[in-house]
Amino acid sequence: MCRVRSSRRSLLLVVALLSLSAGSVGAAAPAAPPGVFYVDPGGSDADPGTAAKPWETLQHAVDNVGPGDTIMVNRGVYAGMRIEKSGAPGAWIRLKGAGPQAVRIREPGPNNKHDSNVEIETWEGDGTVAYWILEGIEVGFAPNWGIDVRGNATNHSHHITIQDSVARDNGTASTKSGIFFAFTDNVTVRNNEVWANGEHGLYLSNSGDHFTVRNNEFSQNERCGIHLNGDLSQGGDGIISDGRIDGNRIDGNGGEGCAGINMDGVTDSVVSNNLITANHASGITLFKHDGAVCSRRNHVINNTVLQAQDGRWALVIGGTGCRDNTIRNNIFLTAHPFRGAREMPTARVPGLDSDYNIVADRFTVNDGNSIISL
């Protein structure tokens, strides 16, 4: 009987081992834990990307990380990169520079397709990139856009954050912007300095929704400080909605025209606590050009607009279709000799709720051909 029990136990053990072995055939390998990888101008892309043996190029780094990973970029001057893979919810990929004075991206990378220094776009799969944070870098002197993020009309890229960085002197010959988003939702742009770019400081376009633009400085850009355009002609619904522009300093923009904050086809958004000074075109503009609707149901509250002597009107409401907007607790002043606080298409725009504002005592319905007092 003892021999029988021993043989039975041995048989059961063999069966169990065989079962485990069979169950492991074809099973997915466990996901690698999030890692931290390093890039340094003195490194090598043949190395493992550790602190002691860093990679050399940003393109190699973004091609070889996955969800939850962090890329630490050491001091130096770099060529840019094209990001074509995504992180995941709760496992964003982070590219963290040593600081915008230390990490300078001064030309497009070898894979870039638009002559922009940093491109976040893919033509593979559904054509979207998501869940990236870029911080602590300076992106400058790009032939076209500095930071260039794109999805497509059918599928939007999403969840892209640009923070604590500088975008400067981009697109000066090609009339392109410092930071550009097209068909991208859930954008966050915060704590950046964006200046001296050839078009807009920040350009949010092509029906992107759910945006946050907070605590940035936009200065000396040739056109708008912040431009939002629904771009119905490019596909999508032509509406940019559900956003917040808050706490930004917007100074000295618009030498080639365009408002400090320009809103074409923008709905259900909040513009609050911004300081707009010395703009050479309009201060804040709500209108319809290529958007699907005239900007409506927005709240413009607690802003200060101080227009330059050569500026246009502090606030422009560009059509009677720009209805149901709330304009409260703002300061609208100007150094211009006859332009003033507000230009509107008529003295009675449908649904306009405007009160408790401090204003220059000059309004118009025809760009100043006639002046209406408060």
Side-chain angles (χ1 to χ4, degrees):
M1 293 296 293
C2 288
R3 284 194 301 274
V4 172
R5 290 195 188 98
S6 177
S7 299
R8 191 173 182 182
R9 281 197 297 269
S10 298
L11 180 61
L12 290 172
L13 179 60
V14 170
V15 170
L17 290 172
L18 288 172
S19 298
L20 287 171
S21 177
S24 66
V25 174
V36 179
F37 300 93
Y38 292 81
V39 182
D40 189 276
S44 169
D45 288 343
D47 283 338
T50 61
K53 293 186 175 182
W55 292 325
E56 180 184 7
T57 68
L58 296 175
Q59 188 63 60
H60 183 82
V62 301
D63 286 344
N64 287 276
V65 294
D69 288 343
T70 297
I71 302 167
M72 303 295 293
V73 186
N74 293 339
R75 176 181 292 273
V77 178
Y78 294 86
M81 68 286 193
R82 182 175 171 87
I83 296 172
E84 299 188 83
K85 61 169 56 178
S86 295
W92 294 48
I93 304 174
R94 181 185 298 264
L95 186 144
K96 182 177 176 60
Q101 299 302 313
V103 175
R104 299 181 179 183
I105 301 175
R106 290 295 177 87
E107 62 179 331
N111 293 0
N112 292 24
K113 301 184 185 302
H114 305 300
D115 266 347
S116 304
N117 281 8
V118 175
E119 297 177 5
I120 303 178
E121 179 190 36
T122 183
W123 296 338
E124 301 297 326
D126 66 2
T128 66
V129 182
Y131 300 110
W132 273 86
I133 299 171
L134 273 59
E135 64 180 297
I137 57 177
E138 180 195 279
V139 181
F141 304 95
N144 284 328
W145 296 273
I147 299 173
D148 181 348
V149 186
R150 308 189 194 200
N152 60 75
T154 304
N155 298 298
H156 288 198
S157 289
H158 56 94
H159 291 94
I160 306 293
T161 294
I162 312 295
Q163 62 187 25
D164 302 314
S165 294
V166 170
R168 54 165 294 197
D169 294 292
N170 299 290
T172 54
S174 58
T175 317
K176 297 298 189 293
S177 300
I179 303 175
F180 173 70
F181 291 92
F183 295 121
T184 307
D185 297 334
N186 297 100
V187 166
T188 300
V189 179
R190 62 188 172 206
N191 303 326
N192 302 287
E193 297 179 19
V194 185
W195 46 278
N197 296 287
E199 190 186 29
H200 314 307
L202 171 64
Y203 191 173
L204 298 172
S205 72
N206 295 13
S207 311
D209 300 322
H210 316 299
F211 58 90
T212 300
V213 181
R214 178 169 286 148
N215 297 339
N216 304 279
E217 182 169 343
F218 301 98
S219 62
Q220 309 302 319
N221 298 289
E222 289 294 333
R223 296 189 178 175
C224 296
I226 303 171
H227 181 50
L228 300 95
N229 188 348
D231 287 308
L232 183 63
S233 64
Q234 302 302 308
D237 64 10
I239 297 172
I240 292 180
S241 64
D242 189 26
R244 183 151 199 142
I245 300 174
D246 181 74
N248 301 282
R249 171 72 183 266
I250 302 168
D251 179 69
N253 301 282
E256 295 295 323
C258 202
I261 300 176
N262 219 39
M263 302 170 66
D264 179 6
V266 180
T267 73
D268 304 289
S269 296
V270 177
V271 178
S272 60
N273 303 306
N274 300 286
L275 176 60
I276 302 173
T277 55
N279 208 62
H280 302 291
S282 302
I284 299 173
T285 302
L286 293 83
F287 68 111
K288 177 184 184 296
H289 175 65
D290 196 22
V293 299
C294 205
S295 293
R296 60 185 60 175
R297 298 191 304 276
N298 299 293
H299 285 73
V300 179
I301 55 175
N302 303 330
N303 302 282
T304 297
V305 181
L306 307 173
Q307 285 290 86
Q309 189 172 10
D310 63 345
R312 297 184 64 81
W313 298 82
L315 174 70
V316 175
I317 298 176
T320 55
C322 289
R323 58 184 304 139
D324 302 320
N325 292 297
T326 298
I327 315 293
R328 284 186 170 237
N329 304 323
N330 302 281
I331 298 172
F332 295 125
L333 300 177
T334 180
H336 193 278
F338 69 84
R339 292 181 177 129
R342 186 180 306 170
E343 178 186 358
M344 301 193 300
T346 174
R348 297 184 182 275
V349 175
L352 178 64
D353 176 7
S354 178
D355 210 347
Y356 301 103
N357 301 292
I358 297 173
V359 297
D361 191 17
R362 297 190 296 275
F363 296 76
T364 189
V365 294
N366 52 21
D367 195 24
N369 291 325
S370 60
I371 302 296
I372 304 168
S373 71
L374 180 61

